[in-house]
Amino acid sequence: MKIASEKKSLPSLFIHRPVGVLMILLAVLVVGYIALKQIAVELMPAGFNPSFLWIQIPYANANPSEVEEQITKPMEAQIRTVQGVRSIESKSGKTGCSAMVKFSQGSDMNIIYAQMKDRMDRLKSELPDDVKNIFIYKWSEKDRPILWVAIAEKIRQTDPYLILEHHLQKPIERMDGVAKVELSGAQEKTVWIMVNQDKVNAYRLNFYEVMQQLRRDNFTMPAGFVEEGEQKIWLRSVARYKTLDEIQYIPIKGSLCLKDIADITYEIAEDDFCHTIDGKKAVTLAIYKESIANTAKLSKKIKEFLFQESIQNSKLKGFQIEILFNEGDFIQESIDNLVSSGIWGAIFAILILYAFLRKFRMTMIVTLSIPLSLMITLIFFYFIHWTLNLITMMGLMISVGMVVDNSIVVVENIYCKLFEGKDPYSSALAGTEEVALAISMSTLTTAIVFLPLILMNDEAGFRFYMLRLGLPVTVSLLASLLVSMVIIPVAARYIIQPQKIATQQKSSRIINGYARTLSYCLSHRIETLLVLAFLMASMFYASGKVAYQKEEGGNINDIVLFFELPYNYTMKQSEQVFAKVEKILNIRREMYSVKTIEMHYRPSRGQIRIFLQPLPQKEWYES
């Protein structure tokens, strides 16, 4: 009869069903553990495509004016037919042309990319016959490598490309979660046939026929299949040269062989490109992950593989391997910060609550809301296919200190009901129902504060990242409301001992001090109002003095310098320029905490990437 007379509310629905609440708690813990283990971890959230495209059309050994007239202007005319174009920044040079195309905010970059590809296909018929390729680049988070590895030669290698390809690039590409591995800075050896034109004329040979014969002789192609009983055997015609001797003794005419009219070598081609790490000739590996892979775990796995190979593999003894950038380290640092914030937040919450309540059991009940609220938020992430990244983890860290508010109000009111002499059941039910509306309105007003930032901004990037920041806070606050109205009352009913409430209830110094301050403020309203006005004015003054910037300030641990050199520069002149810059940087190496200087350049352009020493990790209490 007692239950039938109660109001139908959320606390009354669960407070007399402790077994059901226990099952809900266990379900949250189990599903939360699964979500914590399965959820992908990455540096930045994926899914946002900036509203720009980069187009590049290579055209070697051309005059810049000729490139502008024959390639750049027709390209710009086709680009303008794509919807949403806001600006076009093009550049013409002796190696071709490029264009940065920016589009209106909110444009669907997938549709625009398809339209741009269609326009560039139409453009090919208007371009010179020598133009072979048109490249269209669309940026996304997946285009950034999770590891960037520098490999310098300690001992001069005859074929570094072959060694690194077979012993590092291919094994890493076979790992689960790795999308691709780009090897740059090393060139593959190729067979060079340097034909002596005088000998060709002396033997009265047709050079075109010689070239056609070489192309016909070196091939691999499918040749169908044969059936033998129930078996189907696929055939493949293989006519590939395996050694230089086979190439040298290719018959040309009668007893005449290829070596009689040409010099055949197997070597690395001379290239107008240089790549160095701290002044040493080097190679870099850029390792990309699959979209569903866990960045932190994959980075750790690759790092362990590189360490083992550098020690155990004899082929790699002549190389020095150094990891310049590891996205997994930054993710792990963020996770450690989140765990540390959660632990310290819980400790401070326990101390403050205990200072006011002076009841250890009630303090522990309130503290339960922190891990449970965060666990429910992780479950939400898991089912909407979000990842743990810097932005979402920042939202979780913000919410750590906010999720205890509702539980504090509920527990304090239950505490008051017990002090009035009510039984645990009535105290838990009445104490929760009295404040249910208040904590619901308080939670909703706090959660909705992110809505204007997400919906009322014209910049798509800002809305995207504010959603990833605001939704974790909103979900954790709603989860804390659910915990405070379902789990906390049941826990208070069975854990708190009412017989000790009356004997231990004493006013602490903190409460007495607060009561005196409140009494003074109520009796001196004008003075209190003036103090509040002064505090508000000081806040506006301070906010106006705080420096801020709208654009991104830089990379995580590196600085990139881009160089545009005169088009008539030779490789030697470019080398002199970059050597001077490197010398200046080395002089200031300790001043700027420089870890590694990576350079790559050509006669007309180049780039220097300066990697900085990581800052030592300290806790907030360390000096």
Side-chain angles (χ1 to χ4, degrees), residues 113-170:
Y113 181 81
Q115 292 181 354
M116 187 65 71
K117 192 171 181 61
D118 174 70
R119 301 304 191 276
M120 293 301 104
D121 288 340
R122 299 181 190 179
L123 176 65
K124 286 182 179 179
S125 61
E126 304 177 28
L127 300 180
D129 295 336
D130 296 341
V131 176
K132 302 298 182 183
N133 299 306
I134 300 177
F135 300 101
I136 306 173
Y137 300 100
K138 181 178 67 171
W139 186 89
S140 69
E141 284 294 329
K142 293 182 290 185
D143 297 330
R144 182 176 56 194
I146 62 169
L147 266 92
W148 198 359
V149 184
I151 306 169
E153 296 181 24
K154 294 189 293 186
I155 304 172
R156 186 69 177 176
Q157 304 292 323
T158 56
D159 193 356
Y161 181 90
L162 182 64
I163 296 173
L164 297 176
E165 182 189 32
H166 282 268
H167 297 280
L168 284 183
Q169 184 183 20
K170 297 299 182 183

Short mmCIF file of all heavy atoms in Angstrom, two decimals, residues 113-170:
data_model
loop_
_atom_site.label_atom_id
_atom_site.label_comp_id
_atom_site.label_asym_id
_atom_site.label_seq_id
_atom_site.Cartn_x
_atom_site.Cartn_y
_atom_site.Cartn_z
N TYR A 113 34.78 17.35 -54.86
CA TYR A 113 35.93 16.59 -55.37
C TYR A 113 35.56 15.83 -56.65
O TYR A 113 36.33 15.80 -57.61
CB TYR A 113 36.41 15.61 -54.30
CG TYR A 113 37.61 14.80 -54.70
CD1 TYR A 113 38.89 15.32 -54.62
CD2 TYR A 113 37.45 13.49 -55.18
CE1 TYR A 113 40.00 14.57 -54.99
CE2 TYR A 113 38.55 12.74 -55.56
CZ TYR A 113 39.81 13.28 -55.46
OH TYR A 113 40.90 12.53 -55.84
N ALA A 114 34.36 15.23 -56.65
CA ALA A 114 33.91 14.52 -57.86
C ALA A 114 33.72 15.49 -59.03
O ALA A 114 34.10 15.17 -60.17
CB ALA A 114 32.60 13.79 -57.56
N GLN A 115 33.15 16.67 -58.76
CA GLN A 115 32.99 17.66 -59.82
C GLN A 115 34.34 18.14 -60.35
O GLN A 115 34.53 18.30 -61.57
CB GLN A 115 32.18 18.85 -59.30
CG GLN A 115 30.73 18.53 -59.01
CD GLN A 115 29.97 19.75 -58.51
OE1 GLN A 115 30.55 20.81 -58.28
NE2 GLN A 115 28.67 19.60 -58.34
N MET A 116 35.29 18.37 -59.43
CA MET A 116 36.61 18.84 -59.85
C MET A 116 37.32 17.78 -60.69
O MET A 116 37.99 18.11 -61.68
CB MET A 116 37.44 19.19 -58.62
CG MET A 116 38.77 19.84 -58.94
SD MET A 116 38.58 21.47 -59.71
CE MET A 116 38.00 22.42 -58.30
N LYS A 117 37.17 16.53 -60.32
CA LYS A 117 37.79 15.45 -61.10
C LYS A 117 37.20 15.41 -62.51
O LYS A 117 37.92 15.21 -63.50
CB LYS A 117 37.57 14.12 -60.39
CG LYS A 117 38.39 12.97 -60.93
CD LYS A 117 38.27 11.76 -60.04
CE LYS A 117 39.11 10.61 -60.57
NZ LYS A 117 40.54 10.92 -60.63
N ASP A 118 35.89 15.64 -62.62
CA ASP A 118 35.24 15.67 -63.94
C ASP A 118 35.77 16.84 -64.77
O ASP A 118 36.06 16.69 -65.97
CB ASP A 118 33.73 15.78 -63.74
CG ASP A 118 33.00 15.98 -65.06
OD1 ASP A 118 32.96 15.03 -65.86
OD2 ASP A 118 32.48 17.09 -65.29
N ARG A 119 35.94 18.02 -64.14
CA ARG A 119 36.43 19.19 -64.88
C ARG A 119 37.88 18.99 -65.34
O ARG A 119 38.25 19.40 -66.45
CB ARG A 119 36.35 20.45 -64.01
CG ARG A 119 34.97 20.81 -63.52
CD ARG A 119 33.95 20.97 -64.63
NE ARG A 119 32.72 21.56 -64.15
CZ ARG A 119 31.73 20.88 -63.58
NH1 ARG A 119 31.84 19.56 -63.42
NH2 ARG A 119 30.63 21.49 -63.18
N MET A 120 38.69 18.35 -64.52
CA MET A 120 40.09 18.13 -64.91
C MET A 120 40.19 17.10 -66.04
O MET A 120 41.09 17.17 -66.88
CB MET A 120 40.90 17.67 -63.70
CG MET A 120 41.06 18.74 -62.62
SD MET A 120 41.86 20.26 -63.19
CE MET A 120 40.44 21.38 -63.33
N ASP A 121 39.27 16.14 -66.07
CA ASP A 121 39.24 15.19 -67.19
C ASP A 121 38.90 15.91 -68.49
O ASP A 121 39.44 15.60 -69.56
CB ASP A 121 38.22 14.08 -66.92
CG ASP A 121 38.69 13.12 -65.84
OD1 ASP A 121 39.91 13.07 -65.59
OD2 ASP A 121 37.85 12.44 -65.23
N ARG A 122 37.98 16.88 -68.42
CA ARG A 122 37.64 17.67 -69.60
C ARG A 122 38.82 18.55 -70.03
O ARG A 122 39.03 18.81 -71.22
CB ARG A 122 36.43 18.56 -69.32
CG ARG A 122 35.16 17.81 -68.97
CD ARG A 122 34.04 18.81 -68.73
NE ARG A 122 32.85 18.17 -68.17
CZ ARG A 122 31.74 18.82 -67.86
NH1 ARG A 122 31.67 20.14 -68.07
NH2 ARG A 122 30.70 18.18 -67.34
N LEU A 123 39.60 19.00 -69.04
CA LEU A 123 40.70 19.91 -69.32
C LEU A 123 41.82 19.24 -70.12
O LEU A 123 42.53 19.91 -70.88
CB LEU A 123 41.25 20.46 -67.99
CG LEU A 123 42.49 21.36 -68.05
CD1 LEU A 123 42.16 22.66 -68.78
CD2 LEU A 123 43.00 21.66 -66.64
N LYS A 124 41.99 17.94 -69.98
CA LYS A 124 43.12 17.24 -70.60
C LYS A 124 43.15 17.45 -72.12
O LYS A 124 44.23 17.53 -72.72
CB LYS A 124 43.05 15.75 -70.28
CG LYS A 124 43.44 15.42 -68.84
CD LYS A 124 43.40 13.92 -68.59
CE LYS A 124 43.81 13.61 -67.16
NZ LYS A 124 43.76 12.15 -66.88
N SER A 125 42.00 17.53 -72.75
CA SER A 125 41.97 17.71 -74.21
C SER A 125 42.46 19.09 -74.63
O SER A 125 42.85 19.28 -75.79
CB SER A 125 40.54 17.49 -74.73
OG SER A 125 39.65 18.43 -74.15
N GLU A 126 42.47 20.07 -73.71
CA GLU A 126 42.91 21.42 -74.03
C GLU A 126 44.39 21.64 -73.74
O GLU A 126 44.95 22.67 -74.13
CB GLU A 126 42.09 22.45 -73.24
CG GLU A 126 40.59 22.33 -73.43
CD GLU A 126 39.84 23.33 -72.57
OE1 GLU A 126 40.43 24.39 -72.27
OE2 GLU A 126 38.69 23.05 -72.19
N LEU A 127 45.03 20.72 -73.04
CA LEU A 127 46.42 20.90 -72.61
C LEU A 127 47.38 20.36 -73.65
O LEU A 127 47.01 19.56 -74.52
CB LEU A 127 46.64 20.20 -71.27
CG LEU A 127 45.77 20.68 -70.11
CD1 LEU A 127 46.10 19.89 -68.85
CD2 LEU A 127 45.95 22.17 -69.86
N PRO A 128 48.66 20.76 -73.58
CA PRO A 128 49.67 20.20 -74.49
C PRO A 128 49.77 18.68 -74.34
O PRO A 128 49.47 18.12 -73.29
CB PRO A 128 50.96 20.89 -74.03
CG PRO A 128 50.51 22.15 -73.36
CD PRO A 128 49.20 21.84 -72.73
N ASP A 129 50.21 18.03 -75.40
CA ASP A 129 50.29 16.57 -75.40
C ASP A 129 51.28 16.05 -74.37
O ASP A 129 51.18 14.90 -73.92
CB ASP A 129 50.69 16.07 -76.79
CG ASP A 129 49.62 16.38 -77.83
OD1 ASP A 129 48.45 16.55 -77.42
OD2 ASP A 129 49.96 16.46 -79.03
N ASP A 130 52.27 16.88 -73.98
CA ASP A 130 53.29 16.43 -73.02
C ASP A 130 52.75 16.32 -71.59
O ASP A 130 53.40 15.72 -70.74
CB ASP A 130 54.48 17.40 -73.03
CG ASP A 130 55.19 17.39 -74.38
OD1 ASP A 130 55.00 16.41 -75.12
OD2 ASP A 130 55.93 18.35 -74.68
N VAL A 131 51.61 16.92 -71.32
CA VAL A 131 51.03 16.85 -69.97
C VAL A 131 50.41 15.47 -69.78
O VAL A 131 49.46 15.09 -70.48
CB VAL A 131 49.97 17.95 -69.76
CG1 VAL A 131 49.31 17.79 -68.39
CG2 VAL A 131 50.61 19.32 -69.88
N LYS A 132 50.95 14.72 -68.83
CA LYS A 132 50.50 13.34 -68.63
C LYS A 132 49.52 13.20 -67.46
O LYS A 132 48.59 12.41 -67.52
CB LYS A 132 51.71 12.44 -68.37
CG LYS A 132 52.75 12.45 -69.49
CD LYS A 132 52.16 11.93 -70.80
CE LYS A 132 53.22 11.91 -71.90
NZ LYS A 132 52.66 11.48 -73.19
N ASN A 133 49.75 13.96 -66.38
CA ASN A 133 48.97 13.74 -65.16
C ASN A 133 48.42 15.06 -64.61
O ASN A 133 49.04 16.12 -64.77
CB ASN A 133 49.82 13.08 -64.07
CG ASN A 133 50.34 11.72 -64.50
OD1 ASN A 133 49.57 10.85 -64.89
ND2 ASN A 133 51.65 11.53 -64.43
N ILE A 134 47.27 14.96 -63.97
CA ILE A 134 46.69 16.06 -63.20
C ILE A 134 46.35 15.50 -61.82
O ILE A 134 45.57 14.54 -61.71
CB ILE A 134 45.42 16.63 -63.87
CG1 ILE A 134 45.75 17.17 -65.26
CG2 ILE A 134 44.83 17.74 -63.00
CD1 ILE A 134 44.53 17.69 -66.01
N PHE A 135 46.92 16.09 -60.78
CA PHE A 135 46.73 15.58 -59.42
C PHE A 135 45.79 16.51 -58.65
O PHE A 135 45.96 17.73 -58.66
CB PHE A 135 48.07 15.48 -58.69
CG PHE A 135 49.06 14.56 -59.36
CD1 PHE A 135 50.08 15.07 -60.14
CD2 PHE A 135 48.95 13.19 -59.21
CE1 PHE A 135 50.99 14.23 -60.76
CE2 PHE A 135 49.85 12.33 -59.83
CZ PHE A 135 50.87 12.85 -60.61
N ILE A 136 44.81 15.90 -57.98
CA ILE A 136 43.87 16.64 -57.14
C ILE A 136 43.99 16.09 -55.73
O ILE A 136 43.81 14.89 -55.50
CB ILE A 136 42.42 16.49 -57.64
CG1 ILE A 136 42.31 16.88 -59.12
CG2 ILE A 136 41.47 17.33 -56.80
CD1 ILE A 136 40.96 16.59 -59.72
N TYR A 137 44.29 16.97 -54.76
CA TYR A 137 44.50 16.54 -53.38
C TYR A 137 43.39 17.10 -52.49
O TYR A 137 43.10 18.29 -52.53
CB TYR A 137 45.86 17.02 -52.87
CG TYR A 137 47.03 16.51 -53.67
CD1 TYR A 137 47.65 17.31 -54.63
CD2 TYR A 137 47.53 15.23 -53.47
CE1 TYR A 137 48.73 16.85 -55.37
CE2 TYR A 137 48.60 14.75 -54.20
CZ TYR A 137 49.20 15.56 -55.15
OH TYR A 137 50.26 15.09 -55.88
N LYS A 138 42.81 16.21 -51.70
CA LYS A 138 41.81 16.60 -50.70
C LYS A 138 42.34 16.20 -49.34
O LYS A 138 42.62 15.03 -49.09
CB LYS A 138 40.47 15.90 -50.98
CG LYS A 138 39.38 16.28 -50.00
CD LYS A 138 38.06 15.60 -50.35
CE LYS A 138 38.13 14.11 -50.16
NZ LYS A 138 36.81 13.45 -50.29
N TRP A 139 42.46 17.17 -48.43
CA TRP A 139 43.10 16.91 -47.14
C TRP A 139 42.10 16.31 -46.16
O TRP A 139 40.93 16.67 -46.12
CB TRP A 139 43.65 18.20 -46.56
CG TRP A 139 44.44 17.99 -45.30
CD1 TRP A 139 45.77 17.74 -45.19
CD2 TRP A 139 43.94 18.01 -43.96
NE1 TRP A 139 46.14 17.60 -43.89
CE2 TRP A 139 45.02 17.76 -43.10
CE3 TRP A 139 42.67 18.20 -43.40
CZ2 TRP A 139 44.89 17.71 -41.72
CZ3 TRP A 139 42.53 18.15 -42.03
CH2 TRP A 139 43.64 17.91 -41.21
N SER A 140 42.59 15.37 -45.35
CA SER A 140 41.83 14.83 -44.23
C SER A 140 42.81 14.36 -43.17
O SER A 140 44.02 14.27 -43.42
CB SER A 140 40.92 13.68 -44.67
OG SER A 140 41.69 12.54 -45.01
N GLU A 141 42.30 14.05 -41.97
CA GLU A 141 43.17 13.60 -40.89
C GLU A 141 43.89 12.30 -41.24
O GLU A 141 44.99 12.04 -40.74
CB GLU A 141 42.35 13.40 -39.60
CG GLU A 141 41.98 14.69 -38.90
CD GLU A 141 43.18 15.43 -38.35
OE1 GLU A 141 44.16 14.77 -37.97
OE2 GLU A 141 43.14 16.66 -38.30
N LYS A 142 43.28 11.47 -42.10
CA LYS A 142 43.90 10.20 -42.47
C LYS A 142 45.12 10.40 -43.36
O LYS A 142 45.89 9.46 -43.57
CB LYS A 142 42.87 9.31 -43.17
CG LYS A 142 41.74 8.85 -42.27
CD LYS A 142 40.79 7.93 -43.00
CE LYS A 142 39.98 8.65 -44.03
NZ LYS A 142 38.95 7.80 -44.66
N ASP A 143 45.29 11.61 -43.92
CA ASP A 143 46.43 11.87 -44.78
C ASP A 143 47.69 12.21 -44.00
O ASP A 143 48.74 12.47 -44.59
CB ASP A 143 46.12 13.03 -45.73
CG ASP A 143 44.98 12.70 -46.67
OD1 ASP A 143 44.83 11.51 -46.99
OD2 ASP A 143 44.25 13.61 -47.07
N ARG A 144 47.61 12.21 -42.68
CA ARG A 144 48.76 12.55 -41.85
C ARG A 144 49.35 11.27 -41.27
O ARG A 144 48.63 10.44 -40.71
CB ARG A 144 48.33 13.49 -40.73
CG ARG A 144 49.47 13.95 -39.83
CD ARG A 144 48.98 14.94 -38.82
NE ARG A 144 47.88 14.41 -38.03
CZ ARG A 144 47.10 15.15 -37.26
NH1 ARG A 144 47.28 16.45 -37.21
NH2 ARG A 144 46.13 14.60 -36.56
N PRO A 145 50.67 11.07 -41.39
CA PRO A 145 51.26 9.84 -40.84
C PRO A 145 51.22 9.83 -39.32
O PRO A 145 51.33 10.87 -38.68
CB PRO A 145 52.71 9.89 -41.37
CG PRO A 145 52.98 11.33 -41.63
CD PRO A 145 51.67 11.93 -42.05
N ILE A 146 51.08 8.63 -38.75
CA ILE A 146 51.10 8.51 -37.29
C ILE A 146 52.53 8.37 -36.77
O ILE A 146 52.80 8.66 -35.61
CB ILE A 146 50.25 7.32 -36.82
CG1 ILE A 146 50.80 6.00 -37.37
CG2 ILE A 146 48.80 7.50 -37.22
CD1 ILE A 146 50.18 4.77 -36.75
N LEU A 147 53.44 7.92 -37.63
CA LEU A 147 54.86 7.85 -37.28
C LEU A 147 55.69 8.38 -38.43
O LEU A 147 55.38 8.11 -39.60
CB LEU A 147 55.31 6.42 -36.98
CG LEU A 147 55.29 5.99 -35.51
CD1 LEU A 147 53.95 5.34 -35.19
CD2 LEU A 147 56.41 5.02 -35.20
N TRP A 148 56.70 9.12 -38.07
CA TRP A 148 57.64 9.63 -39.06
C TRP A 148 59.03 9.24 -38.58
O TRP A 148 59.51 9.71 -37.55
CB TRP A 148 57.51 11.14 -39.19
CG TRP A 148 58.11 11.68 -40.44
CD1 TRP A 148 58.75 10.97 -41.41
CD2 TRP A 148 58.13 13.03 -40.86
NE1 TRP A 148 59.17 11.79 -42.42
CE2 TRP A 148 58.80 13.07 -42.10
CE3 TRP A 148 57.66 14.22 -40.32
CZ2 TRP A 148 59.02 14.25 -42.80
CZ3 TRP A 148 57.87 15.39 -41.02
CH2 TRP A 148 58.53 15.40 -42.24
N VAL A 149 59.68 8.35 -39.33
CA VAL A 149 60.94 7.75 -38.91
C VAL A 149 62.06 8.22 -39.82
O VAL A 149 61.92 8.19 -41.06
CB VAL A 149 60.84 6.20 -38.95
CG1 VAL A 149 62.13 5.58 -38.42
CG2 VAL A 149 59.64 5.72 -38.15
N ALA A 150 63.16 8.67 -39.23
CA ALA A 150 64.35 9.07 -39.99
C ALA A 150 65.38 7.95 -39.93
O ALA A 150 65.63 7.38 -38.86
CB ALA A 150 64.94 10.35 -39.41
N ILE A 151 65.97 7.65 -41.08
CA ILE A 151 66.97 6.58 -41.17
C ILE A 151 68.20 7.16 -41.85
O ILE A 151 68.17 7.47 -43.05
CB ILE A 151 66.43 5.38 -41.97
CG1 ILE A 151 65.11 4.90 -41.36
CG2 ILE A 151 67.45 4.25 -41.99
CD1 ILE A 151 64.38 3.90 -42.22
N ALA A 152 69.27 7.34 -41.09
CA ALA A 152 70.52 7.90 -41.61
C ALA A 152 71.54 6.78 -41.82
O ALA A 152 71.56 5.79 -41.08
CB ALA A 152 71.07 8.95 -40.66
N GLU A 153 72.37 6.95 -42.84
CA GLU A 153 73.40 5.95 -43.15
C GLU A 153 74.64 6.20 -42.29
O GLU A 153 75.31 7.21 -42.44
CB GLU A 153 73.77 6.02 -44.63
CG GLU A 153 72.64 5.65 -45.57
CD GLU A 153 73.09 5.71 -47.02
OE1 GLU A 153 74.30 5.57 -47.28
OE2 GLU A 153 72.23 5.90 -47.90
N LYS A 154 74.94 5.26 -41.39
CA LYS A 154 76.19 5.33 -40.63
C LYS A 154 77.36 4.88 -41.50
O LYS A 154 78.47 5.37 -41.37
CB LYS A 154 76.09 4.46 -39.38
CG LYS A 154 75.07 4.94 -38.36
CD LYS A 154 75.17 4.18 -37.06
CE LYS A 154 74.75 2.73 -37.23
NZ LYS A 154 74.71 2.00 -35.93
N ILE A 155 77.08 3.89 -42.35
CA ILE A 155 78.06 3.37 -43.30
C ILE A 155 77.46 3.49 -44.70
O ILE A 155 76.29 3.18 -44.91
CB ILE A 155 78.40 1.89 -43.00
CG1 ILE A 155 78.89 1.74 -41.55
CG2 ILE A 155 79.44 1.36 -43.97
CD1 ILE A 155 79.06 0.31 -41.12
N ARG A 156 78.26 3.94 -45.64
CA ARG A 156 77.77 4.14 -47.01
C ARG A 156 77.24 2.82 -47.57
O ARG A 156 77.94 1.81 -47.57
CB ARG A 156 78.90 4.68 -47.89
CG ARG A 156 78.47 5.04 -49.30
CD ARG A 156 77.58 6.25 -49.29
NE ARG A 156 77.22 6.66 -50.64
CZ ARG A 156 76.38 7.64 -50.90
NH1 ARG A 156 75.82 8.32 -49.90
NH2 ARG A 156 76.10 7.98 -52.14
N GLN A 157 75.98 2.84 -48.06
CA GLN A 157 75.34 1.64 -48.59
C GLN A 157 75.28 1.70 -50.12
O GLN A 157 75.06 2.77 -50.70
CB GLN A 157 73.92 1.50 -48.03
CG GLN A 157 73.84 1.50 -46.51
CD GLN A 157 74.46 0.27 -45.89
OE1 GLN A 157 74.35 -0.84 -46.43
NE2 GLN A 157 75.13 0.44 -44.76
N THR A 158 75.46 0.54 -50.75
CA THR A 158 75.41 0.50 -52.22
C THR A 158 73.98 0.60 -52.74
O THR A 158 73.73 1.21 -53.78
CB THR A 158 76.05 -0.81 -52.74
OG1 THR A 158 75.37 -1.93 -52.13
CG2 THR A 158 77.53 -0.85 -52.38
N ASP A 159 73.03 0.01 -52.02
CA ASP A 159 71.63 0.06 -52.44
C ASP A 159 70.73 0.19 -51.21
O ASP A 159 70.08 -0.77 -50.78
CB ASP A 159 71.26 -1.20 -53.23
CG ASP A 159 69.93 -1.07 -53.97
OD1 ASP A 159 69.26 -0.03 -53.79
OD2 ASP A 159 69.57 -2.00 -54.71
N PRO A 160 70.66 1.38 -50.61
CA PRO A 160 69.85 1.56 -49.39
C PRO A 160 68.36 1.33 -49.63
O PRO A 160 67.66 0.84 -48.75
CB PRO A 160 70.14 3.00 -48.98
CG PRO A 160 70.62 3.68 -50.22
CD PRO A 160 71.33 2.63 -51.01
N TYR A 161 67.88 1.66 -50.83
CA TYR A 161 66.45 1.50 -51.11
C TYR A 161 66.04 0.03 -50.99
O TYR A 161 65.02 -0.30 -50.37
CB TYR A 161 66.14 2.02 -52.51
CG TYR A 161 64.67 1.92 -52.89
CD1 TYR A 161 63.80 2.96 -52.62
CD2 TYR A 161 64.17 0.77 -53.50
CE1 TYR A 161 62.45 2.88 -52.96
CE2 TYR A 161 62.82 0.67 -53.83
CZ TYR A 161 61.98 1.72 -53.56
OH TYR A 161 60.64 1.62 -53.88
N LEU A 162 66.83 -0.87 -51.58
CA LEU A 162 66.49 -2.30 -51.56
C LEU A 162 66.49 -2.84 -50.13
O LEU A 162 65.59 -3.59 -49.74
CB LEU A 162 67.50 -3.07 -52.42
CG LEU A 162 67.25 -4.58 -52.55
CD1 LEU A 162 65.94 -4.84 -53.27
CD2 LEU A 162 68.41 -5.24 -53.27
N ILE A 163 67.48 -2.44 -49.33
CA ILE A 163 67.57 -2.93 -47.95
C ILE A 163 66.37 -2.45 -47.13
O ILE A 163 65.72 -3.24 -46.43
CB ILE A 163 68.89 -2.46 -47.30
CG1 ILE A 163 70.09 -3.06 -48.04
CG2 ILE A 163 68.93 -2.84 -45.82
CD1 ILE A 163 71.42 -2.52 -47.58
N LEU A 164 66.07 -1.17 -47.21
CA LEU A 164 64.98 -0.61 -46.40
C LEU A 164 63.62 -1.10 -46.88
O LEU A 164 62.71 -1.30 -46.07
CB LEU A 164 65.04 0.92 -46.45
CG LEU A 164 66.30 1.55 -45.85
CD1 LEU A 164 66.28 3.06 -46.03
CD2 LEU A 164 66.42 1.20 -44.37
N GLU A 165 63.47 -1.31 -48.18
CA GLU A 165 62.20 -1.80 -48.69
C GLU A 165 61.92 -3.21 -48.20
O GLU A 165 60.80 -3.52 -47.75
CB GLU A 165 62.20 -1.78 -50.22
CG GLU A 165 60.88 -2.24 -50.83
CD GLU A 165 60.96 -2.41 -52.33
OE1 GLU A 165 62.06 -2.77 -52.83
OE2 GLU A 165 59.94 -2.20 -53.00
N HIS A 166 62.92 -4.08 -48.23
CA HIS A 166 62.72 -5.49 -47.87
C HIS A 166 62.69 -5.71 -46.36
O HIS A 166 62.00 -6.63 -45.89
CB HIS A 166 63.81 -6.35 -48.50
CG HIS A 166 63.60 -6.61 -49.96
ND1 HIS A 166 62.92 -7.71 -50.44
CD2 HIS A 166 63.94 -5.90 -51.05
CE1 HIS A 166 62.87 -7.67 -51.75
NE2 HIS A 166 63.49 -6.57 -52.16
N HIS A 167 63.42 -4.91 -45.59
CA HIS A 167 63.56 -5.18 -44.16
C HIS A 167 62.76 -4.24 -43.27
O HIS A 167 62.62 -4.51 -42.07
CB HIS A 167 65.04 -5.13 -43.77
CG HIS A 167 65.88 -6.17 -44.45
ND1 HIS A 167 65.94 -7.48 -44.03
CD2 HIS A 167 66.67 -6.10 -45.56
CE1 HIS A 167 66.74 -8.17 -44.82
NE2 HIS A 167 67.20 -7.35 -45.77
N LEU A 168 62.24 -3.15 -43.82
CA LEU A 168 61.42 -2.24 -43.00
C LEU A 168 60.07 -1.95 -43.65
O LEU A 168 59.02 -2.17 -43.04
CB LEU A 168 62.18 -0.93 -42.74
CG LEU A 168 63.30 -0.96 -41.71
CD1 LEU A 168 63.91 0.42 -41.53
CD2 LEU A 168 62.82 -1.51 -40.38
N GLN A 169 60.09 -1.43 -44.88
CA GLN A 169 58.84 -0.99 -45.49
C GLN A 169 57.84 -2.14 -45.65
O GLN A 169 56.69 -2.04 -45.20
CB GLN A 169 59.11 -0.35 -46.85
CG GLN A 169 57.85 0.22 -47.51
CD GLN A 169 58.13 0.80 -48.89
OE1 GLN A 169 59.14 0.48 -49.52
NE2 GLN A 169 57.25 1.65 -49.37
N LYS A 170 58.24 -3.23 -46.27
CA LYS A 170 57.32 -4.34 -46.51
C LYS A 170 56.84 -5.01 -45.22
O LYS A 170 55.64 -5.27 -45.07
CB LYS A 170 57.98 -5.38 -47.43
CG LYS A 170 58.32 -4.87 -48.82
CD LYS A 170 57.08 -4.42 -49.57
CE LYS A 170 57.43 -3.97 -50.99
NZ LYS A 170 56.25 -3.46 -51.72
#
